[in-house]
């Protein structure tokens, strides 16, 4: 396989991965939550028992797990994005990720049972820095191997 063909194949795989990642991410972030009459844990447990939907189980997970998920939610974005667009600046990747996080939080305002929270926005934005650190590490390894 020629180097150019190898690059195009890698880019196509990364584009498919980005599409799948954004689709799954959108389902988790934008999936409506049921509006229950109270926040009673037994009512929530009964609802989850009778509605075995995977997304509801994630959405009603332990709040610590949700916070941890928010913190790491956008970390893959810079890694996958730069696999497609190798020459893009990490600053632009960060801005694109911040815009993605902001759009999720703004759209959640209109979704029943969802809450838009600036802490989630901040956490998602900080998770981008983890992904950018990974990209910087991978780029430095690649340049050390070729240089």
């Amino acid at each position: 396989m020629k180097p150019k063909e190898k690059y195009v194949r890698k880019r196509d795989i990364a584009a498919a991965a980005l599409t799948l990642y954004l689709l799954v991410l959108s389902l988790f972030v934008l999936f409506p939550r049921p509006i229950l009459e109270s926040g009673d844990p037994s009512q929530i447990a009964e609802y989850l028992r009778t509605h075995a939907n995977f997304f509801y189980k994630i959405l009603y997970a332990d709040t610590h797990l949700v916070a941890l998920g928010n913190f790491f939610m956008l970390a893959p974005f810079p890694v996958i994005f730069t696999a497609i667009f190798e020459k893009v600046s990490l600053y632009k990747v960060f801005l694109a990720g911040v815009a993605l996080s902001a759009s999720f939080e703004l759209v959640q305002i209109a979704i029943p049972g969802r809450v838009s929270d600036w802490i989630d926005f901040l956490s998602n934005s900080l998770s981008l820095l983890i992904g950018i650190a990974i990209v910087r590490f991978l780029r430095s390894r690649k340049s050390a191997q070729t240089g």
Side-chain angles (χ1 to χ4, degrees):
M1 186 181 296
K2 294 178 184 176
K4 182 173 171 114
E5 290 173 354
K6 186 177 179 182
Y7 170 75
V8 170
R9 181 166 169 77
K10 176 185 162 197
R11 196 178 69 195
D12 289 346
I13 291 170
L18 181 64
T19 302
L20 181 62
Y21 166 72
L22 291 175
L23 177 66
V24 171
L25 185 63
S26 296
L27 285 173
F28 280 112
V29 172
L30 303 176
F31 204 81
R33 291 174 106 174
I35 300 175
L36 302 176
E37 291 180 20
S38 74
D40 179 32
S42 63
Q43 184 182 15
I44 293 171
E46 177 62 22
Y47 184 87
L48 292 177
R49 190 183 65 72
T50 58
H51 296 78
N53 187 307
F54 177 71
F55 292 109
Y56 284 131
K57 290 182 184 345
I58 297 294
L59 293 171
Y60 279 108
D62 180 296
T63 55
H64 294 96
L65 291 176
V66 172
L68 190 62
N70 269 329
F71 186 70
F72 289 106
M73 184 168 76
L74 290 180
F77 179 76
V79 177
I80 300 170
F81 194 83
T82 57
I84 300 168
F85 306 104
E86 290 183 356
K87 297 192 187 301
V88 69
S89 78
L90 295 180
Y91 178 72
K92 288 180 181 177
V93 173
F94 180 75
L95 290 179
V98 167
L100 180 64
S101 179
S103 66
F104 281 149
E105 293 304 320
L106 290 174
V107 169
Q108 283 182 348
I109 293 170
I111 299 174
R114 297 306 310 240
V115 177
S116 180
D117 186 5
W118 69 272
I119 301 265
D120 289 351
F121 170 74
L122 181 62
S123 183
N124 295 341
S125 298
L126 289 174
S127 76
L128 290 164
L129 297 177
I130 295 169
I132 287 173
I134 293 169
V135 170
R136 290 187 73 176
F137 172 74
L138 293 173
R139 284 182 176 178
S140 69
R141 278 192 58 185
K142 185 177 179 181
S143 67
Q145 289 175 348
T146 58

